[in-house]
Amino acid sequence: MKLELSKRQEAILEIVKKEGPITGEQIAERLSLTRATLRPDMAILTMAGLLEARPRVGYYYSGKTPNKVIAEKLHRIKVGEVKSVPVVVSEHCSVYDAVVTMFIEDVGTLIVVREGGILEGVISRKDLLKITLGGQDIHKLPVGVVMTRMPNVITVGPDDSVWLAAKKLITHEVDALPVVRPVEGGDKNKDLEVIGRLSKTNITRLFVELGEGN
Ligand code: ADP
């Protein structure tokens, strides 16, 4: 990902790199432009984190490359800000009902919980396809026998960065992660309350929004 700067913005950046700290007035002079003309460019460069402005000192170069600025942004956005509501079933739910739930809720991953919304496992589309090929009675078969069970479920917390979540999706080759928080007084590794779902769609949507400059 690369931040596209205009020719004039590149020129401003070069001046500040060489001469900073430097006032807006002085930058305008170097470019034979008015301060007012430069104002939008200065705003973009400061908002992008490339330049920093200090009152009575002027502008100076932050030392960050555009890619570094983007990386910092991705580490700052939290899972809690982009997560979706979880679609959950009980482990006694039949494979048939799980398939129906997937269609109705329009999700590719179901999260299996026990009483209190505590994470038990996850079921993917292919888990359900595989069991369907087995020729067993899917009306009777509970999802508990096909799900990926705790402690093998990869999760994220609401305060983790979206970057970490995306990294886990890629590293573990899964489509979605339950968003969890430890239950008060419970076992930190075993008793996780499901409070959301983070899928590749959330990451893609964020990517589109960032691309639109939001
Ligand atoms: P699909 O199987 O439809 O391609 P996934 O790639 O998400 O979808 O799932 C692959 C396997 O990983 C499945 O067996 C599924 O149960 C399991 N799985 C899915 N999500 C997770 C997760 N967050 N943690 C651990 N295992 C998962």
Side-chain angles (χ1 to χ4, degrees), residues 7-8 32 40 57 61 66 79 82 85-86 88-89 91-92 95 106 134 136 154 186:
K7 282 237 154 48
R8 189 196 285 161
S32 312
V57 177
Y61 181 55
V79 164
V82 299
V85 291
V88 302
V89 293
E91 76 167 295
H92 308 296
V95 167
D106 195 17
Q136 304 178 62
I154 314 297

Short mmCIF file of all heavy atoms in Angstrom, two decimals, residues 7-8 32 40 57 61 66 79 82 85-86 88-89 91-92 95 106 134 136 154 186:
data_model
loop_
_atom_site.label_atom_id
_atom_site.label_comp_id
_atom_site.label_asym_id
_atom_site.label_seq_id
_atom_site.Cartn_x
_atom_site.Cartn_y
_atom_site.Cartn_z
N LYS A 7 2.53 16.19 -6.76
CA LYS A 7 3.88 16.75 -7.00
C LYS A 7 4.20 17.85 -6.00
O LYS A 7 5.29 17.93 -5.46
CB LYS A 7 3.95 17.33 -8.43
CG LYS A 7 4.11 16.27 -9.49
CD LYS A 7 5.37 16.53 -10.33
CE LYS A 7 5.92 15.26 -10.94
NZ LYS A 7 4.91 14.43 -11.63
N ARG A 8 3.17 18.68 -5.74
CA ARG A 8 3.40 19.80 -4.83
C ARG A 8 3.64 19.30 -3.40
O ARG A 8 4.50 19.83 -2.69
CB ARG A 8 2.20 20.76 -4.86
CG ARG A 8 2.48 22.05 -4.11
CD ARG A 8 1.22 22.80 -3.82
NE ARG A 8 0.69 23.46 -4.99
CZ ARG A 8 -0.58 23.87 -5.09
NH1 ARG A 8 -1.42 23.66 -4.09
NH2 ARG A 8 -1.01 24.47 -6.17
N SER A 32 7.02 29.87 -4.22
CA SER A 32 6.39 31.03 -4.86
C SER A 32 4.87 30.89 -4.92
O SER A 32 4.24 31.14 -5.95
CB SER A 32 6.94 31.24 -6.29
OG SER A 32 8.32 31.19 -6.29
N PRO A 40 -4.41 23.38 2.16
CA PRO A 40 -4.93 22.00 2.05
C PRO A 40 -3.81 20.95 2.00
O PRO A 40 -3.93 19.88 2.60
CB PRO A 40 -5.70 22.00 0.73
CG PRO A 40 -5.92 23.43 0.38
CD PRO A 40 -4.85 24.23 1.04
N VAL A 57 7.13 27.12 16.17
CA VAL A 57 8.35 26.47 15.66
C VAL A 57 8.21 26.23 14.17
O VAL A 57 9.08 26.53 13.37
CB VAL A 57 8.63 25.14 16.39
CG1 VAL A 57 9.86 24.46 15.81
CG2 VAL A 57 8.78 25.36 17.88
N TYR A 61 9.67 17.32 9.70
CA TYR A 61 9.43 16.00 9.12
C TYR A 61 9.35 14.98 10.25
O TYR A 61 10.20 14.95 11.14
CB TYR A 61 10.58 15.67 8.18
CG TYR A 61 10.47 14.34 7.48
CD1 TYR A 61 9.33 14.02 6.72
CD2 TYR A 61 11.50 13.40 7.55
CE1 TYR A 61 9.24 12.82 6.08
CE2 TYR A 61 11.41 12.19 6.90
CZ TYR A 61 10.27 11.90 6.16
OH TYR A 61 10.18 10.70 5.52
N PRO A 66 5.40 6.83 4.39
CA PRO A 66 3.95 6.62 4.28
C PRO A 66 3.54 5.21 4.72
O PRO A 66 2.53 5.03 5.39
CB PRO A 66 3.69 6.84 2.80
CG PRO A 66 4.76 7.79 2.37
CD PRO A 66 5.97 7.42 3.17
N VAL A 79 -10.10 -4.46 17.24
CA VAL A 79 -11.08 -5.47 16.82
C VAL A 79 -12.50 -5.05 17.22
O VAL A 79 -13.44 -5.18 16.46
CB VAL A 79 -10.72 -6.84 17.44
CG1 VAL A 79 -11.89 -7.81 17.36
CG2 VAL A 79 -9.48 -7.41 16.77
N VAL A 82 -14.54 -3.00 14.73
CA VAL A 82 -14.95 -3.51 13.40
C VAL A 82 -15.67 -4.87 13.47
O VAL A 82 -16.13 -5.37 12.45
CB VAL A 82 -13.72 -3.65 12.46
CG1 VAL A 82 -13.05 -2.32 12.23
CG2 VAL A 82 -12.72 -4.66 12.98
N VAL A 85 -21.72 -9.10 15.03
CA VAL A 85 -22.35 -9.88 16.10
C VAL A 85 -22.08 -11.37 15.83
O VAL A 85 -22.03 -11.80 14.68
CB VAL A 85 -23.88 -9.64 16.19
CG1 VAL A 85 -24.17 -8.24 16.68
CG2 VAL A 85 -24.55 -9.91 14.87
N PRO A 86 -21.89 -12.15 16.90
CA PRO A 86 -21.62 -13.57 16.69
C PRO A 86 -22.90 -14.32 16.37
O PRO A 86 -23.97 -13.96 16.85
CB PRO A 86 -21.08 -14.00 18.06
CG PRO A 86 -21.71 -13.08 19.04
CD PRO A 86 -21.91 -11.77 18.33
N VAL A 88 -24.37 -17.85 16.98
CA VAL A 88 -24.01 -18.97 17.85
C VAL A 88 -25.05 -20.08 17.83
O VAL A 88 -26.24 -19.84 17.57
CB VAL A 88 -23.78 -18.50 19.31
CG1 VAL A 88 -22.71 -17.43 19.39
CG2 VAL A 88 -25.08 -18.01 19.93
N VAL A 89 -24.57 -21.30 18.07
CA VAL A 89 -25.46 -22.46 18.27
C VAL A 89 -24.93 -23.26 19.46
O VAL A 89 -23.79 -23.03 19.90
CB VAL A 89 -25.50 -23.38 17.02
CG1 VAL A 89 -26.16 -22.69 15.84
CG2 VAL A 89 -24.11 -23.88 16.66
N GLU A 91 -23.86 -27.02 21.13
CA GLU A 91 -23.21 -28.19 20.53
C GLU A 91 -24.19 -29.35 20.32
O GLU A 91 -23.89 -30.32 19.65
CB GLU A 91 -21.98 -28.63 21.33
CG GLU A 91 -22.23 -29.35 22.61
CD GLU A 91 -20.93 -29.99 23.13
OE1 GLU A 91 -20.40 -30.88 22.46
OE2 GLU A 91 -20.47 -29.56 24.20
N HIS A 92 -25.39 -29.22 20.88
CA HIS A 92 -26.41 -30.24 20.67
C HIS A 92 -27.26 -29.95 19.43
O HIS A 92 -28.08 -30.77 19.02
CB HIS A 92 -27.31 -30.35 21.90
CG HIS A 92 -26.52 -30.52 23.17
ND1 HIS A 92 -25.74 -31.62 23.39
CD2 HIS A 92 -26.33 -29.70 24.24
CE1 HIS A 92 -25.12 -31.49 24.56
NE2 HIS A 92 -25.45 -30.32 25.09
N VAL A 95 -26.65 -31.07 12.80
CA VAL A 95 -25.92 -30.60 11.62
C VAL A 95 -26.90 -29.95 10.64
O VAL A 95 -26.60 -28.90 10.06
CB VAL A 95 -25.16 -31.79 10.96
CG1 VAL A 95 -24.66 -31.42 9.57
CG2 VAL A 95 -24.01 -32.25 11.86
N ASP A 106 -26.64 -15.92 6.98
CA ASP A 106 -25.69 -15.51 5.94
C ASP A 106 -24.26 -15.36 6.48
O ASP A 106 -23.60 -14.34 6.27
CB ASP A 106 -26.17 -14.19 5.30
CG ASP A 106 -25.45 -13.91 3.99
OD1 ASP A 106 -24.85 -14.86 3.43
OD2 ASP A 106 -25.46 -12.76 3.53
N GLY A 134 -20.65 -38.06 4.64
CA GLY A 134 -20.53 -39.31 5.39
C GLY A 134 -21.77 -40.19 5.34
O GLY A 134 -21.73 -41.35 5.71
N GLN A 136 -24.46 -39.97 7.13
CA GLN A 136 -25.18 -40.18 8.39
C GLN A 136 -26.43 -39.30 8.41
O GLN A 136 -26.58 -38.42 7.58
CB GLN A 136 -24.26 -39.83 9.56
CG GLN A 136 -22.96 -40.62 9.53
CD GLN A 136 -22.03 -40.22 10.66
OE1 GLN A 136 -22.36 -40.38 11.83
NE2 GLN A 136 -20.86 -39.72 10.32
N ILE A 154 -8.88 -20.57 17.68
CA ILE A 154 -8.09 -19.33 17.65
C ILE A 154 -9.05 -18.16 17.88
O ILE A 154 -10.06 -18.05 17.18
CB ILE A 154 -7.39 -19.15 16.28
CG1 ILE A 154 -6.71 -20.45 15.83
CG2 ILE A 154 -6.42 -17.98 16.31
CD1 ILE A 154 -5.60 -20.91 16.72
N GLY A 186 -13.39 -16.96 36.20
CA GLY A 186 -13.26 -18.25 35.51
C GLY A 186 -11.81 -18.57 35.20
O GLY A 186 -10.91 -17.80 35.53
#
